[in-house]
Amino acid sequence: MPVRAAEIAGLGHCDRHRCHLWPSEVVEVRLVIARGVNRGNCLYDLEGVALGAAGDQRVQPVLRRQGVGSVRPTARERSDAPLGGIRGVGCVPGLMGAVEVAQTEVDESDRRRGRETEQEAAEPRQVGHAFIFGENHGSRRAGLTICCLPAGGVLVRRLEGLQSAGMTTTLPPARPDAYGTDPGDPTRARTIGGVGELLPPEEVTRFVREAFSTADLDGKRVCLVVPDGTRTCPLPLLLGAAQQALAGRAKQVMVIIALGTHQGMTDEHLARHLGYRPGQSQEVYPGWTIVNHESWLPDTFTALGTIEANRLTELSGGLLTDTSVQVRINRHVAEADVAIVIGPVFPHEVVGFSGGNKYFFPGVSGQELIDLSHWVGALITSAATIGTPGVTPVRALINEAATMIPAQRLALCLVVASGTDTLHAAAFGSPEDAWAACAEISAETHISYLEAPVKRVVSIMPTKYEDIWTAAKGFYKLEPIVADGGELIIYAPHIAQVSVMHPKITDIGYHNRDYFLGQWDRFKHQPWGDLAHSTHLRGQGTWDAEHGERNRVAVTLATGIPEEVVRAVNLNYLDPASVDIAAYEADPETFVVPHAGEVLYRLRPGQRRGILGEPDGRGPSIEGWDG
């Protein structure tokens, strides 16, 4: 099904000092409050923009407040039209099917000339991917691009004014039907804890033992899939409880570190991560086998099948067509009788909320599904996806792939107090049910709100992030609160490489989504996962052949990576030795996060009060910034 779009210029909120729209606020399906326009092109007290349902050729934005200023009614209107009007609708061929372009009935006012311009419709560009809308209509004013996926999926806006490089915000790309996959039911999961609770270790141990006692594990080959060191998780506590629960019951226990495409953990790192002395795992986990997921070795995998093109079109919400994907997974998972995920749930830039089946895909999966799923997330954009409740297209994709695993699937999902070994909650059941239970709690725990955007953010990265590929989470989780034209600094003096496992990223560099889509023939043969990571760190922005790349915020690395390497990948450089954290903390225009990477920060939506998640981790330890 086609993507439809309409452009509305000048939506905003203004006072005497600044103009912007408030952050994305989901009121109902296809209803959003967005942010980020230039002064003078605004609505006062904007409440929402509604989109018509999928398949509706009449893309009809509805504003609860009308514009003020020099906007004139159209020939068919007796009252003010929405400020700037509707420019048009369209789709992008190549991956999407053709769509009839509806004719707009609202002209766009041009304030420089003081009269309406001729009616124009947005023609799609022939680049072969969705979400490239908004040709240059000769306007110097900000524009809003709204993209509606089938069944009301996504709203995207692009600023095209002289003062703003561009910004994207969206309706949640989740759907009530979960794209035909199991969305999970929190009531079916066995749970403990909740928002604001802090669970004592003995309660956690008892919960795990009791939960495992209800599962059919006697005489079974059990595979435990756990996170690597980039996730905060009290694995020694949890695996200790699991060892007690499985002793004398399981025929075999294999622990796999779900690295995805991250580098392998050393023996010393594994020992610290899982709670035993180096070389002495059998003292703590007798009879268990502990291995890294070795994505770099072909023998690691076994093929489960293929998700065909027509199903992939449904799962991606129509973003991809005529594309199928092979599903491969670590053979230890496929050969087990029972595969149990043990891991936390946090807001996530690709899937909405991490956890559950995500530990299978991409945690222990083949490169094909990793690349494709991350590129789908990049098309929607990190800003649109991160912290989105429900089943997003990428969550649907990994849920679908998980049904192909021959082993019985279970999950112990967790809500962890960021940067600590303390749990707020845990849930046990199917990966879908346990994830759904914890995602609800994570949404109220791991999302914090500010009242207004800030000029500068300093994300201090813990040493568990060993390269920019992983430390980029310091950008994903803070991007929403940076003002247009602002700066986000990733402070990580310990990092000396852009990526250990993805060397091509230094050739690709960091660019926004439109940069790649607008030059798709040039980039389509690059690993899609690398392209996705590039867009996620570069953030929101636009690209066209005439003006080039324009990004909403500046991204600066204050790391051990040489300056020439940083600038070569299209990022700004700051000497980490010059960084004065105390001075930044004293600066009212700077927001410093001492343990960045897990808690998502947003601007407070509308008039909601009293909604504030926990702080993002702990302060510095005696060994450095390592929460």
Side-chain angles (χ1 to χ4, degrees):
M1 294 181 66
V3 172
R4 290 170 172 76
E7 289 197 5
I8 305 173
L11 303 180
H13 176 88
C14 183
D15 56 31
R16 292 183 181 272
H17 304 290
R18 67 196 309 168
C19 291
H20 52 78
L21 288 167
W22 298 113
S24 178
E25 162 73 357
V26 179
V27 181
E28 60 187 28
V29 176
R30 297 185 301 279
L31 188 60
V32 70
I33 295 177
R35 66 180 173 86
V37 297
N38 295 330
R39 185 170 183 81
N41 304 320
C42 58
L43 290 174
Y44 288 85
D45 299 322
L46 175 68
E47 294 185 6
V49 178
L51 293 180
D56 188 352
Q57 293 294 330
R58 302 161 301 156
V59 180
Q60 296 179 330
V62 177
L63 306 182
R64 297 179 186 165
R65 296 284 195 276
Q66 292 297 313
V68 296
S70 59
V71 178
R72 303 179 182 181
T74 67
R76 301 184 184 183
E77 301 283 347
R78 293 188 177 181
S79 59
D80 283 351
L83 189 60
I86 305 172
R87 287 188 186 166
V89 299
C91 76
V92 177
L95 270 74
M96 308 307 304
V99 56
E100 175 185 351
V101 177
Q103 295 299 312
T104 59
E105 296 186 1
V106 181
D107 293 337
E108 176 182 331
S109 298
D110 186 330
R111 291 184 179 176
R112 291 174 295 140
R113 296 180 295 182
R115 59 182 176 83
E116 288 95 12
T117 61
E118 294 182 357
Q119 183 177 3
E120 297 172 312
E123 295 295 336
R125 305 176 197 168
Q126 305 289 326
V127 299
H129 259 41
F131 295 131
I132 303 297
F133 296 94
E135 296 295 335
N136 186 354
H137 294 271
S139 171
R140 298 170 61 90
R141 299 168 54 203
L144 173 66
T145 301
I146 299 176
C147 303
C148 185
L149 288 178
V154 179
L155 179 149
V156 178
R157 70 186 179 85
R158 171 186 300 167
L159 295 182
E160 299 175 356
L162 294 179
Q163 302 173 39
S164 178
M167 181 168 180
T168 302
T169 187
T170 74
L171 282 175
R175 288 199 333 215
D177 67 354
Y179 299 87
T181 67
D182 183 359
D185 182 350
T187 65
R188 295 193 301 237
R190 185 186 187 101
T191 61
I192 184 176
V195 176
E197 296 191 39
L198 299 175
L199 300 177
E202 57 273 15
E203 286 191 26
V204 175
T205 297
R206 182 167 57 252
F207 174 80
V208 174
R209 293 177 60 181
E210 292 176 353
F212 275 44
S213 71
T214 65
D216 182 12
L217 304 175
D218 293 344
K220 300 296 178 66
R221 296 168 298 172
V222 177
C223 183
L224 303 179
V225 182
V226 303
D228 67 6
T230 63
R231 270 66 174 171
T232 297
C233 184
L235 283 177
L237 171 66
L238 298 164
L239 291 185
Q243 194 279 328
Q244 296 175 32
L246 294 173
R249 296 184 62 198
K251 177 181 179 180
Q252 172 185 313
V253 178
M254 171 78 70
V255 178
I256 301 179
I257 309 299
L259 295 169
T261 61
H262 297 174
Q263 62 182 315
M265 299 179 71
T266 65
D267 291 342
E268 292 75 16
H269 197 176
L270 277 173
R272 186 167 63 252
H273 188 50
L274 302 183
Y276 56 84
R277 293 180 297 175
Q280 304 297 318
S281 64
Q282 292 302 305
E283 292 183 358
V284 178
Y285 306 112
W288 286 19
T289 302
I290 301 171
V291 299
N292 282 307
H293 169 65
E294 299 173 314
S295 63
W296 51 93
L297 298 179
D299 291 344
T300 294
F301 301 99
T302 187
L304 300 180
T306 300
I307 300 178
E308 300 295 345
N310 59 346
R311 181 60 179 139
L312 188 54
T313 300
E314 298 171 352
L315 293 168
S316 68
L319 289 175
L320 299 178
T321 62
D322 301 326
T323 300
S324 60
V325 63
Q326 184 184 33
V327 178
R328 295 187 301 147
I329 199 166
N330 189 297
R331 58 184 175 83
H332 294 305
V333 174
E335 294 168 0
D337 298 312
V338 184
I340 305 177
V341 164
I342 301 178
V345 174
F346 285 105
H348 193 271
E349 64 277 3
V350 173
V351 72
F353 281 89
S354 64
N357 284 323
K358 188 178 178 297
Y359 283 95
F360 296 126
F361 304 97
V364 292
S365 76
Q367 190 69 41
E368 302 87 353
L369 192 60
I370 293 176
D371 282 348
L372 185 137
S373 62
H374 281 65
W375 186 237
V376 170
L379 290 174
I380 300 170
T381 75
S382 168
T385 302
I386 193 166
T388 293
V391 176
T392 63
V394 178
R395 172 63 62 176
L397 180 58
I398 64 177
N399 281 355
E400 180 84 0
T403 64
M404 303 171 72
I405 298 174
Q408 179 189 6
R409 293 176 294 112
L410 295 170
L412 174 63
C413 293
L414 316 160
V415 181
V416 184
S418 176
T420 77
D421 291 332
T422 303
L423 297 185
H424 292 299
F428 184 79
S430 74
E432 294 82 5
D433 293 343
W435 170 80
C438 284
E440 287 185 350
I441 299 170
S442 177
E444 297 187 57
T445 302
H446 296 138
I447 303 178
S448 291
Y449 294 89
L450 297 187
E451 298 292 342
V454 294
K455 179 180 179 179
R456 182 184 300 106
V457 167
V458 179
S459 292
I460 301 176
M461 305 311 299
T463 56
K464 67 182 180 181
Y465 300 114
E466 298 179 347
D467 57 11
I468 292 301
W469 187 276
T470 54
K473 289 184 180 293
F475 177 82
Y476 312 152
K477 303 296 174 69
L478 278 301
E479 177 190 11
I481 64 169
V482 182
D484 285 2
E487 178 186 30
L488 190 144
I489 300 171
I490 294 179
Y491 178 66
H494 65 279
I495 291 178
Q497 298 183 72
V498 175
S499 176
V500 175
M501 301 297 291
H502 300 266
K504 286 189 175 182
I505 194 64
T506 56
D507 297 324
I508 296 169
Y510 287 95
H511 303 281
N512 64 54
R513 178 198 62 196
D514 292 6
Y515 177 89
F516 295 119
L517 293 181
Q519 306 171 87
W520 187 239
D521 286 342
R522 174 184 170 191
F523 291 104
K524 64 184 178 183
H525 301 298
Q526 296 286 355
W528 287 10
D530 289 12
L531 298 181
H533 165 74
S534 173
T535 70
H536 292 149
L537 178 56
R538 201 59 193 85
Q540 302 161 316
T542 62
W543 179 92
D544 60 59
E546 179 182 357
H547 301 98
E549 184 175 15
R550 295 179 292 177
N551 294 299
R552 190 180 75 83
V553 302
V555 182
T556 300
L557 301 188
T559 67
I561 302 172
E563 179 176 359
E564 60 271 19
V565 175
V566 172
R567 297 196 184 281
V569 296
N570 197 38
L571 299 176
N572 295 340
Y573 173 83
L574 178 64
D575 184 353
S578 69
V579 174
D580 186 338
I581 296 298
Y584 279 129
E585 289 177 330
D587 179 7
E589 295 187 307
T590 300
F591 185 70
V592 178
V593 183
H595 181 92
E598 290 182 340
V599 170
L600 171 64
Y601 284 84
R602 287 176 171 164
L603 298 179
R604 190 182 301 279
Q607 299 301 313
R608 296 168 66 181
R609 291 292 182 266
I611 303 176
L612 182 65
E614 65 186 9
D616 200 346
R618 300 175 291 184
S621 70
I622 58 174
E623 298 179 352
W625 293 96
D626 193 9

